[in-house]
Amino acid sequence: MSLQWSADLEIGISVIDSQHQRIVEYINAVETAHQHDSQKELLEVLDELVDYTLSHFAFEESLIEEAGYPFCKAHKKVHSLFTRRILGYQQRAKADENVAEELTHTLKTWLVNHIKHDDRDYTDIVKANINEASKRAKAKSGSWMSRLFG
Amino acid sequence: MTCFIWSEEFELGIDIIDHQHQRIVAYINQTYAISSSNHSALGSTDVKTILASLVDYTLSHFAFEEALMEEAEYPDLSEHQLAHHQFSELIENFKLRFEQGEDVSQQLARVLQHWLIQHIMTEDKCYAELVKQKLLGIEPERHRLWIKNAVSRYFQ
C-alpha cells in the first residue's frame, strides 16, 4: 500500500514539507517498481531517491545549523546512519538481490518516524530563524527604498 | 493483554528523547499485542516486520542519544554505549530464536519493557542533566536553587 501524504507529516516549514513530499513520491515509485517486478526500474528509482534524499539531508542540516538547533550533530548522525543503510540496499539491489519489499517497508517506517519525532523537534527554532531573517531582509530593502525614494 | 504505560517518571525533560522513548514504548506494546493475538491471523511476515521496525528504531535512537552525550562530553559515554551494545546483542538473540521458529514475542516484550525502564531510570537519567545544561542551557535544579538562595540571602 502506498504511503499517503497527510497533515500529520507536515512540520509547517514549506520548503521542508515539499522535500518530504517528494521523498514520499520516490518511496511510492520504489513500491511501483516492485509491483512491476522490474529490477531495472527499481535501480533507476533508487538512484534518484538516494540522490534526492542526500540533497535533502544536506539542506536540512544547514537549515538547522544556521538556526542554532542544539541537537544538530545528533540529527546529522541519524541521517548518516540512514544513508549507510540505504546505500547498503542500493548495493544489494545492484547485485540483483530482491530487496524491494524490505526496502519499501524500511523507507516508509524510517521517514514517518523521523519526520514525526526528529524533524518536528527543530521546527520552532528553524521557523523563528526564518522569520528573523525575513524581518532583517525587509528592514534592509526598506532602508534601501527610503534612500532611493525619500 | 499486558501493556506498557508511559509514566511521567520516565521523562528526562529532553523532549526529543522523551518522544523517542515513547515511540519505543509503542513498539513494545505492538509486540505485546502480537503475543496475545492469533499469530496465524497476523502472519509471520507481520511479526517479522514489527520486530524489524522495533530494532531499527531503537538503533537509530541509540545513535542519536550517543551523539548528544558525545557533544555534551558526558564522562560515562563509553559505559552507556556498552549498555546499548549489550541491548543490541540481546535483541539479536531474540531475532535468531524467532527466525528458528520460536514464538518469542511475549518474552521479548517483557524483557524490552524491563530493560527500557531500568535503562531510562538509571543510565539515561545520569546523562540528562549534563545534556540539558550544556546543549540546552538549562541549569541543573541544584544550581537554580543555589542561585535562588544566594539572591534571597544577599539581596533582601
Side-chain angles (χ1 to χ4, degrees):
Chain A
M1 200 173 73
S2 64
L3 178 59
Q4 299 294 324
W5 182 260
S6 62
D8 67 340
L9 293 175
E10 288 174 4
I11 61 170
I13 299 167
S14 53
V15 63
I16 295 292
D17 286 338
S18 300
Q19 291 178 8
H20 286 162
Q21 275 183 274
R22 192 73 189 94
I23 294 172
V24 166
E25 286 166 16
Y26 277 122
I27 292 172
N28 289 334
V30 168
E31 195 161 46
T32 304
H34 174 53
Q35 285 159 359
H36 292 168
D37 204 22
S38 167
Q39 196 70 351
K40 181 174 177 286
E41 192 182 328
L42 174 69
L43 287 173
E44 280 168 9
V45 169
L46 199 42
D47 275 351
E48 289 175 34
L49 168 65
V50 167
D51 280 350
Y52 192 82
T53 304
L54 293 184
S55 296
H56 162 69
F57 283 169
F59 181 86
E60 199 177 75
E61 287 163 17
S62 24
L63 209 64
I64 62 178
E65 197 160 342
E66 196 183 305
Y69 176 58
F71 302 141
C72 270
K73 284 188 181 167
H75 200 106
K76 284 184 194 179
K77 187 75 183 276
V78 165
H79 281 174
S80 162
L81 197 67
F82 184 68
T83 300
R84 277 204 304 274
R85 291 201 64 210
I86 291 301
L87 293 178
Y89 278 114
Q90 198 177 30
Q91 287 309 307
R92 287 166 62 193
K94 283 177 179 170
D96 217 28
E97 200 179 321
N98 185 5
V99 297
E101 200 171 321
E102 189 189 324
L103 169 62
T104 310
H105 170 76
T106 300
L107 288 170
K108 284 179 194 173
T109 310
W110 188 89
L111 186 68
V112 170
N113 279 330
H114 184 69
I115 290 174
K116 285 184 172 181
H117 302 126
D118 305 338
D119 288 350
R120 199 148 273 154
D121 193 65
Y122 69 60
T123 305
D124 287 348
I125 200 170
V126 167
K127 276 185 184 172
N129 191 52
I130 290 171
N131 288 340
E132 272 309 305
S134 240
K135 281 181 197 166
R136 282 196 302 270
K138 278 182 188 162
K140 213 172 167 182
S141 71
S143 62
W144 176 83
M145 291 290 280
S146 340
R147 277 201 303 275
L148 201 58
F149 296 106
Chain B
M1 184 187 77
T2 313
C3 194
F4 186 174
I5 297 170
W6 181 259
S7 158
E8 270 182 19
E9 64 177 326
F10 304 143
E11 288 175 6
L12 304 184
I14 303 167
D15 285 348
I16 191 169
I17 296 292
D18 289 337
H19 292 152
Q20 289 176 4
H21 284 160
Q22 285 168 342
R23 188 65 188 95
I24 296 171
V25 168
Y27 275 125
I28 292 172
N29 284 330
Q30 276 185 277
T31 313
Y32 271 126
I34 297 167
S35 70
S36 61
S37 70
N38 180 352
H39 285 213
S40 63
L42 268 182
S44 68
T45 307
D46 299 298
V47 175
K48 190 178 165 190
T49 298
I50 292 168
L51 292 181
S53 298
L54 170 62
V55 169
D56 283 351
Y57 192 77
T58 307
L59 292 180
S60 185
H61 161 69
F62 285 168
F64 190 93
E65 216 175 56
E66 287 167 19
L68 289 194
M69 286 186 269
E70 192 174 3
E71 197 175 349
E73 296 173 317
Y74 178 60
D76 295 332
L77 170 57
S78 45
E79 281 83 354
H80 201 113
Q81 282 172 318
L82 186 63
H84 284 170
H85 180 69
Q86 285 168 345
F87 178 80
S88 300
E89 285 186 335
L90 179 69
I91 291 295
E92 198 51 45
N93 184 264
F94 274 106
K95 249 177 91 178
L96 282 170
R97 287 165 58 194
F98 169 72
E99 281 159 8
Q100 282 159 6
E102 195 181 330
D103 180 5
V104 297
S105 45
Q106 172 75 10
Q107 194 190 8
L108 173 62
R110 277 203 312 266
V111 164
L112 289 176
Q113 179 175 357
H114 175 77
W115 187 91
L116 187 65
I117 290 172
Q118 180 270 334
H119 182 70
I120 290 174
M121 299 303 285
T122 57
E123 285 133 353
D124 286 352
K125 294 254 179 190
C126 283
Y127 78 67
E129 213 169 87
L130 187 68
V131 163
K132 284 194 281 191
Q133 189 185 353
K134 286 221 175 162
L135 303 190
L136 298 178
I138 298 170
E139 288 297 322
E141 188 60 30
R142 64 178 185 279
H143 289 184
R144 283 200 293 271
L145 283 173
W146 187 91
I147 290 165
K148 189 181 166 193
N149 290 338
V151 165
S152 62
R153 200 162 46 237
Y154 295 111
F155 296 103
Q156 280 177 0

